[in-house]
Amino acid sequence: MDTPRAGAARGGDPDQEDAPASPVPARVIPADGIPGHGGPADGLPVGGPSAAGDDAPGAPDTAVRAARPPEPAPRTGGLSRRLRAAAVDTRPLAVPAFRRVLIGQGASLVGTMVTEVAIPVQIYAVSHSSFYVGLAGLAGFVPIVVFGLYGGAVADAVDRRLLCLWSSLATWAVTLALLAQTLLGARSVGLVLALVAVQGAGFAVSSSTRGAIIPRIVPPDLVPAANTLSFTVGNVGQVAGPLVAGVLISLPHGFAYAYAADAVLFTMSLYATFLLPSIRPVAARAGSGLRAVLDGLRFIGGNPVLLMSFGADIAAMALAMPSALFPQAAASRFHGGVGLLYSAVAVGSLLAGLCSGWIGRVRRQGVALTFAVVGWATAIALAGFARALWLAVLLLVLAGAADLVSAVYRQTILQTYAPDEMRGRMQGVFTVVVSGGPRLGDLRAGAMAATTTLTAAWSGSALLCVVLVVAAALAVRPFWHYDAHGPDAQGLLP
């Protein structure tokens, strides 16, 4: 469940209600990193063209209304209508900026996954040590925790376009440095680990900033659809990136080809970020130090809806994430198929994204998130009992589908429940949780497998996740009754 998460609907009929006016242009960068911006349908501020229009990078904020795609024509026909309603909601693509964002996002994510595969393979090729490969994960994680929290606080105090642009440039520079050390034949594990640490810091800041901007580019009722499209494209990258990496690395000088491909693809993200207008905080300028970080944590602690959404996320990843057990299961139970086990969840999320048109129409998002997490953990638990590879893979695909749904609702609640002046800090915490949760899950699964059995480590804790999440959701009444169209949600979105 190491995937980024999504957005929420607002009052009344989402196909008839106009988006509320905003004191700034509605602008966005999706959760994984390619920015765009929206104004009225033609991408210009209300009142006609101006220098602050769709193609004016860094232009100052002006009062605009969030871009609203044309309403779909009335649908007729029973089965045909139901199929169209279930298909992925593509209305956000009518916003030119978001369309550009999604294209850049897809390209850069493929490159990111190529590098994520190339780095550990290169480290092992140089050191012949799995210990150093493991250190790469630690080297990237620590900066993500520190800079994720701090970067989110900074994003609430400065122009988010500039912060995202500079942090993205830092990430891109690391990719170029990885390419340079390969071409120069440095063969230094220490140098690669240092670059991984800098890359983690840049990623944490840019990710926190991007997630805070999504509600500023699309109308509130299209936030779930926009995030679903982002996650679906992200899952395509998760599937395609490793395949591309495998081909490139197998070539002579393959590591150089891999890093070069990432550097080229990432330029599409940089270009989209450069085209953003100025995205300043809506409220008064906040601080960006430790006190601002602590204010964000206190805000989460004082809001049961946000606290429960984070808690469900942590429980799902820490208690029901079996990926660390796949090598053992493939070797001792299925006698092969480790690649199928690792890819099944991403395939399920991708398929669910293609059938996600209904997600944005759900009002009781707390209930929906609870059922999605329960679906994830139940499918994981059943997969742990499976003795046939095909059945385990099928259940993991179902788990991946539930993961996509839960990811969308978690990010939706987070982005739309919190006020704009807190969104950067909320996304900073989210970045830390999403990055750290799976690592906690790997640690828990490995320790349990070493002291108990494979089935207990895989299925036992997943069943515990079901019990805990259901009990907590029922106990936290504001979360269970949370209505995305209700006054609580509407009151917090600027």
Side-chain angles (χ1 to χ4, degrees), residues 172-346:
W172 186 55
V174 170
T175 304
L176 294 177
L178 287 168
L179 173 60
Q181 62 87 27
T182 301
L183 294 174
L184 294 173
R187 298 183 61 81
S188 170
V189 173
L191 174 59
V192 174
L193 292 177
L195 292 174
V196 168
V198 177
Q199 187 180 57
F203 163 79
V205 175
S206 61
S207 180
S208 301
T209 307
R210 293 172 195 134
I213 303 173
I214 287 181
R216 300 272 292 271
I217 187 175
V218 296
D221 53 290
L222 294 186
V223 171
N227 282 299
T228 301
L229 288 169
S230 296
F231 291 137
T232 301
V233 169
N235 284 310
V236 172
Q238 287 186 328
V239 173
L243 296 177
V244 174
V247 173
L248 294 177
I249 292 173
S250 66
L251 299 174
H253 310 292
F255 296 120
Y257 286 129
Y259 297 135
D262 184 14
V264 171
L265 291 171
F266 197 74
T267 58
M268 299 183 69
S269 171
L270 292 174
Y271 178 70
T273 306
F274 177 74
L275 290 182
L276 280 171
S278 177
I279 305 176
R280 300 183 180 90
V282 173
R285 182 184 178 93
S288 57
L290 179 60
R291 182 173 181 178
V293 173
L294 295 177
D295 286 344
L297 296 176
R298 281 193 290 267
F299 180 80
I300 294 173
N303 287 272
V305 173
L306 295 178
L307 189 62
M308 182 60 203
S309 68
F310 277 117
D313 196 5
I314 293 172
M317 291 186 289
L319 297 177
M321 174 64 73
S323 57
L325 304 174
F326 290 162
Q328 180 182 348
S332 64
R333 179 179 294 182
F334 303 125
H335 306 292
V338 67
L340 292 174
L341 294 174
Y342 273 110
S343 62
V345 170

Side-chain angles (χ1 to χ4, degrees), residues 300-396:
I300 294 173
N303 287 272
V305 173
L306 295 178
L307 189 62
M308 182 60 203
S309 68
F310 277 117
D313 196 5
I314 293 172
M317 291 186 289
L319 297 177
M321 174 64 73
S323 57
L325 304 174
F326 290 162
Q328 180 182 348
S332 64
R333 179 179 294 182
F334 303 125
H335 306 292
V338 67
L340 292 174
L341 294 174
Y342 273 110
S343 62
V345 170
V347 170
S349 295
L350 176 59
L351 294 176
L354 299 177
C355 306
S356 59
W358 57 273
I359 290 180
R361 296 193 291 271
V362 174
R363 296 181 54 155
R364 295 287 297 280
Q365 293 183 354
V367 174
L369 173 55
T370 302
F371 276 100
V373 172
V374 168
W376 155 266
T378 301
I380 291 295
L382 293 175
F385 290 117
R387 290 298 183 269
L389 177 62
W390 69 266
L391 179 58
V393 170
L394 176 61
L395 288 167
L396 289 173

